[in-house]
Amino acid sequence: MDSKDTQEFDAIVVGAGIAGMYFVYRLRKLGFTVRAFEAGTGVGGTWYWNRYPGARFDSESYSYGYSWSQEILDEWEWTEHFSPQTETLRYLNLVADKFDLRKDIEFNARVSSAVYDSNDRSWCVETESGSCAKASFLLHGTGCLSAPFVPEFKGLDSFKGKTWHTSDWPREPVDLSDKRVGVIGTGATGVQMITEIAKNVGDLTVFQRTANYNKPLRNSLITEEEQRDFKARQSEIFEKCKQSFGGFIYQFDERSTFDVSSEERQEFYEELWKGKGFAFWLSGFNDVLTNEAANEEVSEFIRKKIQERVDDPEVAEMLTPRDHPFGTKRPPMESGYYEAFNQSNVHLVDLKSTPIECFTEKGIKTSSSAYEFDVVIFATGFDGVTGALNRIDIRGEGGSSLKDKWDELPTAYLGMCAVGFPNMFITGGPHNTSSFCNIPRCLEQNVEWITDCMSWMREHGYTRLEAKQAAEDSWAEHALESADKTLLTNIDSWFMGSNIPGKKRVFLNYVGGAPYHRQVCDEVAQNGYDTFDLD
Ligand code: NA7
């Protein structure tokens, strides 16, 4: 695109990941002109950026792909129950090829600003590379975990070794077999990566601030028989996801913990523990995330499982979570994580008792020791939900800034529309179910609802839509009330925004359940979008 020209489209999409790609496909099908801007050099979003060793999703593969193309469903075969990043990226590239999506996507184009012009009811979008475009609608497919976070450690610049964040893993091959490596962070990403790099590393030191309840993933290759079964039951599987709280193949058990005897409960936990993926978290007793005593029993069950696997009792204790209830932070899935700490070249540093004081030229200094490294990897997570959009200068009606609005209270009606920002839709925004979901399942719902709304506006001759303040307020109230009924708001995590220094501490996700969110969205559409101001 000529950087001096401002091209005009019906819609501009920010990001070409799972949501952005589907936006392009669907808008085109509905007869809208569209341009997507993508910061990377290829499609895939999360799966384009997160190339660290061990990266894979924790959703069952056959529940993860797009549901809207029978052709792709017939053609594509996942090889593992939980697909690695390389396979998922291959899958997304196949989708892009099949539907020729790239012709409407500009790559290497990180959006820097988006300004609403109330005179001609359009959004003007600029990229860091100098591109400029205008459209009636601005659609964000920026992902809820795409703004990497690296803490501002004192002295970081003085470190002479290499550093990188997990989402910025070098493209050239990395050989750590003779390197002294430090890893900071033991969330879902750190757990996957540490397990993998421990297999071939010179010496590895893991800096852990909070021990997690890591559950065995129990991944395996998909057999031919399983493949046939998944294909035969594909629509049934998607329907099951649709009915479930978080878009997974799991439903919480109908029983509450103390409805059953202690013996039966232990048997139930053992059975769930043998299950794959999130089975233990999302098909347990229905009060595990709301009742402290119920949760403590499950937490204790996991603590014992952890301790059985670590040889050194002191290390085992350090790896045992005791400061938060199970499931209130997103539980990482692991495949040999604990055994890595039985290796003589893998060490664990507890940052709660010996915090990092600073980086030095040679490595890291904690309150008790100095460590020397060739490489330090930050598995320190993301500025979740609001981070990606807050890094773009988004100006709505009257020049108001989205970041300023969200600094006060990060919210969006139905998780998709922010008052003051007409004709702008967000996927994975605050209080949107997709940030607490088997992501493609909820993103599909978001994209379909948004593009249906745009079609409806076109049909009815409307050129401006903005959520009513009362609607946004009551959705925020409902989202925060749903969260307050759980144990999730008592602890610090990216769900609460409290992993980022200075960020407002408030629940960002939506835990009212994907089916309820969808039901409300559908009702709003059926009622002619009467919770919006339309013109
Ligand atoms: P997470 O889950 O936010 O984990 C980040 C990790 O980094 C976690 O262990 C943090 O400890 C640690 N961290 C963050 N800041 C610091 C500082 N300043 N010092 C030491 N340690 C720190 O991010 P992930 O990338 O692992 O996972 C994000 C999501 O991706 C996950 O939920 C899945 O949905 C996929 P803390 O626990 O805060 O004490």
Side-chain angles (χ1 to χ4, degrees):
M1 189 196 291
D2 185 338
S3 63
K4 292 187 192 90
D5 293 339
T6 300
Q7 293 196 28
E8 294 195 22
F9 303 91
D10 293 324
I12 290 171
V13 173
V14 187
I18 290 174
M21 288 170 64
Y22 189 29
F23 267 134
V24 170
Y25 171 85
R26 205 155 197 270
L27 287 167
R28 233 194 239 168
K29 252 199 132 113
L30 292 168
F32 291 101
T33 56
V34 54
R35 164 61 43 101
F37 290 113
E38 164 57 51
T41 57
V43 296
T46 291
W47 302 107
Y48 169 89
W49 294 105
N50 288 273
R51 294 165 189 243
Y52 61 85
R56 66 177 66 246
F57 51 60
D58 297 336
S59 311
E60 279 69 9
S61 304
Y62 50 87
S63 75
Y64 194 88
Y66 288 122
S67 70
W68 44 266
S69 163
Q70 194 56 46
E71 201 182 340
I72 299 275
L73 286 168
D74 290 342
E75 181 177 334
W76 180 259
E77 294 197 338
W78 300 100
T79 60
E80 300 182 40
H81 279 263
F82 300 91
S83 163
Q85 174 268 338
T86 42
E87 184 167 282
T88 310
L89 189 59
R90 221 172 31 249
Y91 166 80
L92 291 167
N93 273 288
L94 172 90
V95 176
D97 290 342
K98 175 86 49 198
F99 300 106
D100 198 11
L101 298 182
R102 290 188 197 82
K103 73 169 189 233
D104 289 323
I105 304 171
E106 185 177 326
F107 294 100
N108 265 322
R110 183 176 289 282
V111 170
S112 50
S113 70
V115 179
Y116 183 70
D117 179 344
S118 45
N119 294 323
D120 67 356
R121 298 186 170 179
S122 70
W123 282 92
C124 182
V125 170
E126 286 190 11
T127 70
E128 285 175 4
S129 50
S131 290
C132 201
K134 260 172 106 165
S136 310
F137 293 96
L138 176 62
L139 316 176
H140 295 291
T142 37
C144 62
L145 291 161
S146 54
F149 165 64
V150 175
E152 288 180 9
F153 290 111
K154 209 170 123 200
L156 182 53
D157 288 347
S158 66
F159 177 55
K160 295 272 192 267
K162 294 199 163 120
T163 60
W164 59 79
H165 187 273
T166 45
S167 70
D168 196 19
W169 194 269
R171 294 306 164 92
E172 62 276 11
V174 175
D175 179 8
L176 299 175
S177 61
D178 60 349
K179 298 284 186 291
R180 297 161 305 168
V181 179
V183 171
I184 304 176
T186 54
T189 302
V191 165
Q192 288 185 332
M193 185 199 57
I194 289 160
T195 310
E196 204 50 37
I197 64 176
K199 291 175 185 166
N200 192 17
V201 69
D203 200 79
L204 173 63
T205 302
V206 175
F207 294 89
Q208 170 193 275
R209 193 164 65 181
T210 307
N212 264 317
Y213 295 92
N214 306 317
K215 155 79 183 52
L217 176 65
R218 305 199 195 287
N219 185 29
S220 58
L221 292 175
I222 293 177
T223 64
E224 276 181 32
E225 199 186 333
E226 285 169 334
Q227 197 73 260
R228 274 196 299 278
D229 173 52
F230 296 148
K231 293 258 181 203
R233 292 190 302 112
Q234 190 63 75
S235 358
E236 188 193 315
I237 290 166
F238 284 142
E239 188 52 35
K240 196 170 182 182
C241 294
K242 204 169 173 183
Q243 302 310 327
S244 87
F245 172 81
F248 287 90
I249 55 170
Y250 304 109
Q251 289 276 17
F252 285 110
D253 197 276
E254 281 174 4
R255 298 164 299 171
S256 299
T257 305
F258 301 110
D259 290 349
V260 296
S261 72
S262 161
E263 220 170 59
E264 256 183 280
R265 296 202 297 271
Q266 291 303 320
E267 275 170 29
F268 182 56
Y269 300 146
E270 286 292 352
E271 216 32 61
L272 286 179
W273 193 251
K274 287 184 207 143
K276 291 184 187 296
F278 285 139
F280 192 86
W281 189 29
L282 299 176
S283 52
F285 291 121
N286 62 23
D287 55 351
V288 84
L289 293 179
T290 51
N291 177 329
E292 270 181 53
N295 188 294
E296 175 53 22
E297 188 170 276
V298 173
S299 299
E300 190 53 26
F301 176 89
I302 305 175
R303 289 180 196 126
K304 287 193 181 125
K305 293 287 183 198
I306 293 171
Q307 302 229 334
E308 282 165 13
R309 290 170 58 188
V310 184
D311 296 343
D312 180 333
E314 250 180 65
V315 177
E317 184 51 32
M318 278 157 69
L319 287 166
T320 303
R322 298 198 186 276
D323 58 2
H324 66 283
F326 165 69
T328 53
K329 277 175 185 277
R330 201 281 213 171
M333 297 289 116
E334 60 84 27
S335 307
Y337 178 68
Y338 292 109
E339 285 71 17
F341 292 93
N342 295 334
Q343 291 177 208
S344 58
N345 63 342
V346 179
H347 323 282
L348 184 65
V349 176
D350 173 18
L351 294 181
K352 286 253 163 82
S353 54
T354 58
I356 292 176
E357 285 184 346
C358 61
F359 271 65
T360 63
E361 264 187 38
K362 292 186 171 169
I364 291 176
K365 189 173 171 309
T366 66
S367 60
S368 75
S369 305
Y371 302 85
E372 295 189 3
F373 297 116
D374 303 304
V375 176
V376 173
I377 303 165
F378 296 105
T380 39
F382 298 87
D383 183 353
V385 185
T386 54
L389 292 188
N390 279 347
R391 290 175 190 196
I392 303 173
D393 187 16
I394 300 176
R395 302 277 163 174
E397 195 71 80
S400 59
S401 141
L402 184 67
K403 184 176 180 309
D404 288 351
K405 175 184 168 90
W406 282 355
D407 281 350
E408 228 166 87
L409 180 67
T411 191
Y413 177 48
L414 304 173
M416 293 189 266
C417 302
V419 172
F421 299 82
N423 295 4
M424 181 179 96
F425 294 95
I426 308 159
T427 59
H431 304 154
N432 185 311
T433 186
S434 68
S435 50
F436 207 76
C437 187
N438 182 8
I439 287 202
R441 301 280 62 79
C442 288
L443 286 182
E444 280 187 8
Q445 181 271 347
N446 278 201
V447 170
E448 285 163 14
W449 187 85
I450 290 166
T451 49
D452 284 348
C453 173
M454 288 167 60
S455 289
W456 182 90
M457 283 176 68
R458 183 176 57 185
E459 237 170 74
H460 290 77
Y462 292 116
T463 55
R464 187 186 184 283
L465 160 142
E466 183 184 357
K468 289 183 178 161
Q469 187 66 55
E472 184 178 271
D473 291 348
S474 80
W475 183 255
E477 197 181 318
H478 156 68
L480 295 174
E481 264 175 26
S482 310
D484 281 340
K485 287 184 195 145
T486 71
L487 305 172
L488 273 66
T489 53
N490 301 340
I491 60 121
D492 288 324
S493 70
W494 68 265
F495 298 161
M496 294 298 297
S498 50
N499 62 326
I500 304 298
K503 188 166 172 172
K504 189 179 177 77
R505 191 181 188 286
V506 63
F507 195 73
L508 293 166
N509 300 21
Y510 176 70
V511 288
Y516 181 70
H517 176 258
R518 194 179 48 251
Q519 183 194 320
V520 176
C521 290
D522 290 348
E523 282 167 11
V524 169
Q526 277 151 22
N527 293 334
Y529 303 92
D530 60 358
T531 43
F532 288 87
D533 286 324
L534 286 151
D535 194 20

